[in-house]
Amino acid sequence: MQNIFIKVDEKEYGPVTLDEFKTLVREGSVSKDDLVLCENSDEWMSAAQIEGLKRFFPTNGKNGGHQCKLYAVASGKGGVGKTVLTCSIGVAFSSMGSDVIIVDGDFGGANLHTCMGILEPEYTFFDFYSLQKDNLSQIVLDTPIENLRIISGACGTLGIANQKYFQKQRLIRELKRLPADAVFLDLGAGSTYNTIDFFLLADEKILVVTPEPTSIYEAFGFLKVCVMRELNRALKNFPEALEIVASDEINKPGKTCLTLGDLLQQVKKINEEAFNVFKNVLENFSPKLILNMVKNKEDLKEGRAIQAAVMELLSIHLEYLGYISYDHEVGVAVKNVKPFLLNNPKSQASKDLSALIRVNLLGKKGIKEILEKYRWRKQVENYAKEFPERADFLQDAPICSTNCFYWGDCEYEDGGKPCRVRHLEPRLKEAN
Ligand SMILES: Nc1ncnc2c1ncn2[C@@H]1O[C@H](COP(=O)(O)OP(=O)(O)OP(=O)(O)O)[C@@H](O)[C@H]1O
Ligand SMILES: [Mg+2]
């Protein structure tokens, strides 16, 4: 669609191209109710009514029109696949027609942009926190996929890594107000207060676990810390109940003698109101589990085993979304700086992820859905064909350092980043 005319506050503008129109919407200069006239039409209509333009005005957020659904992706242990999954889940949702923003919430090791083939993000969270950009939509960047955008993380910025609770609430509020249908927040590993609070404040909480004991223990520990933090906050007006929660064996590291169900019963004996608050916390906390890097049938059992243990010990319903096979194609995609769903849509990991999202995350079943599946697959394949190759990304490039032979003469000198002097082989100075 070309030659779009716009009427804002009785003034006419245009013609603009579709791309220019999109930019105006994103800047907030055009709203869904502004009138638009397109070629092939002799009638001014509100922008959101026009086929081909309405996708720029997402409306189906769960929380009533202006809010999008916020998904947080976390794990106890690091390196279990949160970032690669966040990228590919984002691609999957956008290929089904949703407007998606993926957000790098790993304030210690931001790398989500690299997985999307963006090597040097123009803006990051740093611009937001250093007040150079005053709202989040100003740091949203385009990706090679039209309805998938990204907020890139700011690596190693201490102030961001230690936010106050009200700052986190504000950030979550802003994330939910972004102009999108769904926002996916890729969190850092571990049980820092940042990660826990962002996870707890999200609408949908996804926990990624691999079928290894370390990953499973740490995931269980993460959930336990999450639920304890919720309980401490919710029960702050019930000191006797808090005492029961705080003093019990369940708080001892690596040891869970009493279950949360036992504690709940103890609280019931002393205070009915506190009992109801406690029960609500347990009922309302319903994270979802993805088992990643599954190698065999034995591994597969771990999904249900974790679910059962969490129910027994923490009285929490952990919904098992399904598994992704261990697939070397995921590593290949990382090297090609592409989401694995696009690097090879036919790989086992891509197939597993597609099934998991359609059937378990979105609950799509039945004949109509099967037909839709083929359209969706086609769209993913089209995206895959169009996704740019980043031949300029040097996987084995040395890291730029003051020890480089050319330090002092080089025009880049971005210490810590991959060397960008592609035609030279930087040599390290001999240590003297
Ligand atoms: N299903 C899979 N099959 C094979 N390799 C995988 C799979 N999922 C992830 N990986 C590999 O695991 C590595 C870590 O993935 P990723 O960076 O997404 O983990 P992470 O949980 O985000 O790590 P961190 O906690 O450091 O942020 C990547 O190199 C990726 O190739
Ligand atoms: Mg990561």
Side-chain angles (χ1 to χ4, degrees), residues 78-84 106 189 292-293 324-327 330-331 334:
V80 295
K82 296 178 293 298
T83 302
V84 293
D106 186 347
N292 188 26
M293 304 200 215
I324 314 287
S325 304
Y326 182 90
D327 184 347
V330 177
V334 171

Side-chain angles (χ1 to χ4, degrees), residues 211 291 293-303:
L291 191 64
M293 304 200 215
V294 168
K295 289 186 176 143
N296 50 45
K297 280 195 182 144
E298 277 306 299
D299 282 353
L300 261 183
K301 292 182 189 157
E302 298 296 352

Side-chain angles (χ1 to χ4, degrees), residues 79 81-84 104 106 109 111-112 186-189:
K82 296 178 293 298
T83 302
V84 293
D104 198 332
D106 186 347
N111 61 357
L112 189 69
D186 172 29
L187 291 169

